[in-house]
Amino acid sequence: MKDVTNNFLETIEPVYTPGRIKFDFDRFDAAIKAAVSELSDEQLDNLEYNDIKKEFRRFNSLLTKLETKRKDIAKVYKNPLTEFEANFKKSKGPLETLLKTLGNKRDEIDEYHRLLRADHVRSVFEEKCELAGLDKDTFKDKYDGYSLKKWFIDKKMELKKETIEEIDALVLAEYDRLKEYKANIAIIEEQALDYELPSEPYTRALNNDAPLVEILKQMKMDRDAAVERKQQVEAKQKAEAARLAEIEAMAKQSANEEIKAVNAETGEVIEDTKPTDETPSNPIEPYKINLSLTFYGGEKQWYQFAKLLDDNFVNYEIKGENK
């Protein structure tokens, strides 16, 4: 590569030779002061109109002449500067283009070296994670931070001792955290099994950084609430079963009540007794009677009575209805 050190570009610089503008400001200020003192407001009130116009033209002419001279001097100073800035802007263009090209190349090389350092950091973290039994990508968000030159030995692809120690501390802390996390998960699952609760809501709470003691307290509250709900349901079911049993007993009692019949001719109430379920050991001769029955309970009472006859194997014949 061509050596361009100490060449013309490194030594050239603009040279400014300051000029000098001569003007007696002390006498100028004194003359203005004297003029102002001679033309006070009181004195102006005593001047004629034409005199006022004359004085105005005189001082205005003086100020105009001085302003014109100032502008002429300003051009003498400003024009060279304007010309220099225009020429400099045009000439420095190629140099600025070269700087941009060099800067891009420099950044490209810097990024390449940074990626190499980041890859080295990755390998160090993965190795230590493997030894600790952690997922190899646990610290992938740390790679870029540790890829800076300050973490490496100068001009070497090797981490400083203090950097290694800091990485070891990170891995150990994560190992301890994960160990505690697994133990807490086991406690929650065991407690959930004991309380007959699903473990998922409580493990999610642990993942959301809820303290274990608060989770266990909530699990106990949920278990107590579940037990109370279960007891309420059982009590309700028990009460419902008792109510249904009572209704059934009342229905059976109503069905098994003795049905009284009335002799249509005499009006005598005839007690109808239920035959025993036992089959007599000796044959019994059939016994026939003719009855006229009136059911004051209506047709429903008749059906109940007919069922009673059927259940006791009593044959009957309907001779007529509502006679």
Side-chain angles (χ1 to χ4, degrees):
M1 180 178 179
K2 183 178 180 181
D3 184 7
V4 294
T5 59
N6 296 322
N7 62 10
F8 177 73
L9 286 177
E10 293 183 347
T11 58
I12 187 173
E13 62 180 22
V15 178
Y16 168 64
T17 304
R20 184 181 178 185
I21 303 174
K22 294 181 180 182
F23 189 77
D24 194 340
F25 279 100
D26 291 336
R27 292 184 63 186
F28 179 63
D29 293 341
I32 292 176
K33 184 177 180 181
V36 172
S37 65
E38 292 177 358
L39 296 171
S40 63
D41 291 342
E42 184 179 349
Q43 292 168 329
L44 287 175
D45 290 339
N46 296 323
L47 289 178
E48 297 291 338
Y49 175 73
N50 290 333
D51 292 332
I52 293 175
K53 288 177 62 177
K54 179 181 178 182
E55 292 298 321
F56 176 83
R57 286 194 297 268
R58 182 164 70 94
F59 286 110
N60 183 61
S61 176
L62 171 62
L63 183 58
T64 301
K65 182 180 69 173
L66 291 173
E67 280 292 335
T68 301
K69 189 63 176 177
R70 181 192 64 78
K71 292 178 182 179
D72 291 340
I73 294 173
K75 290 180 181 179
V76 174
Y77 277 83
K78 185 179 180 181
N79 288 345
L81 176 61
T82 302
E83 182 181 358
F84 167 76
E85 289 181 341
N87 291 335
F88 181 72
K89 181 178 180 180
K90 178 181 178 181
S91 297
K92 72 175 182 177
L95 182 59
E96 288 177 333
T97 301
L98 176 61
L99 282 173
K100 185 176 181 180
T101 301
L102 291 172
N104 291 339
K105 193 63 179 179
R106 176 205 59 195
D107 295 343
E108 181 182 332
I109 295 173
D110 285 345
E111 177 63 11
Y112 173 72
H113 288 155
R114 189 195 68 78
L115 291 175
L116 288 179
R117 292 193 299 271
D119 189 64
H120 179 73
V121 171
R122 177 194 57 76
S123 65
V124 171
F125 268 110
E126 288 184 354
E127 181 180 355
K128 293 184 179 296
C129 285
E130 184 178 1
L131 291 174
L134 301 175
D135 186 274
K136 68 181 183 69
D137 293 329
T138 301
F139 298 97
K140 64 180 181 180
D141 60 332
K142 303 287 186 182
Y143 300 162
D144 285 341
Y146 282 102
S147 68
L148 302 177
K149 290 181 180 180
K150 68 177 184 177
W151 301 106
F152 283 76
I153 297 175
D154 188 30
K155 297 180 181 180
K156 288 187 178 181
M157 190 58 65
E158 182 179 350
L159 292 171
K160 294 178 180 178
K161 181 181 178 182
E162 52 267 33
T163 307
I164 296 295
E165 291 174 351
E166 187 169 323
I167 291 176
D168 286 339
L170 287 173
V171 174
L172 181 60
E174 178 61 17
Y175 173 81
D176 292 339
R177 188 200 68 79
L178 187 60
K179 183 178 179 181
E180 180 182 4
Y181 171 77
K182 290 180 178 179
N184 291 343
I185 289 291
I187 292 173
I188 290 174
E189 290 178 343
E190 182 179 354
Q191 196 75 304
L193 183 63
D194 185 44
Y195 286 169
E196 297 182 350
L197 294 172
S199 61
E200 290 78 8
Y202 308 103
T203 55
R204 282 199 301 270
L206 184 68
N207 290 331
N208 292 329
D209 299 328
L212 177 64
V213 64
E214 295 297 329
I215 294 175
L216 295 178
K217 185 185 298 183
Q218 184 62 48
M219 292 180 74
K220 184 178 184 303
M221 292 173 60
D222 293 346
R223 187 280 307 269
D224 293 344
V227 169
E228 184 178 356
R229 287 194 300 271
K230 183 178 180 182
Q231 290 174 347
Q232 291 175 350
V233 170
E234 290 177 348
K236 185 176 180 181
Q237 291 175 343
K238 193 173 183 180
E240 181 66 12
R243 186 181 71 83
L244 293 176
E246 183 180 357
I247 293 174
E248 184 178 1
M250 291 176 63
K252 287 182 178 179
Q253 181 179 358
S254 177
N256 292 332
E257 286 181 348
E258 293 182 350
I259 302 175
K260 296 180 180 181
V262 179
N263 189 299
E265 296 179 359
T266 64
E268 179 184 2
V269 177
I270 303 172
E271 296 289 340
D272 182 36
T273 57
K274 296 174 64 176
T276 60
D277 292 337
E278 297 180 359
T279 303
S281 56
N282 296 321
I284 298 175
E285 290 293 330
Y287 179 73
K288 295 183 179 182
I289 59 173
N290 292 321
L291 294 175
S292 176
L293 304 176
T294 299
F295 297 97
Y296 290 98
E299 187 177 11
K300 181 179 179 181
Q301 188 179 17
W302 151 244
Y303 286 128
Q304 291 176 340
F305 180 71
K307 183 176 185 304
L308 180 65
L309 296 177
D310 291 336
D311 290 344
N312 289 277
F313 305 104
V314 176
N315 293 331
Y316 59 89
E317 182 181 358
I318 298 175
K319 296 293 186 177
E321 296 183 42
N322 292 325
K323 290 183 179 181

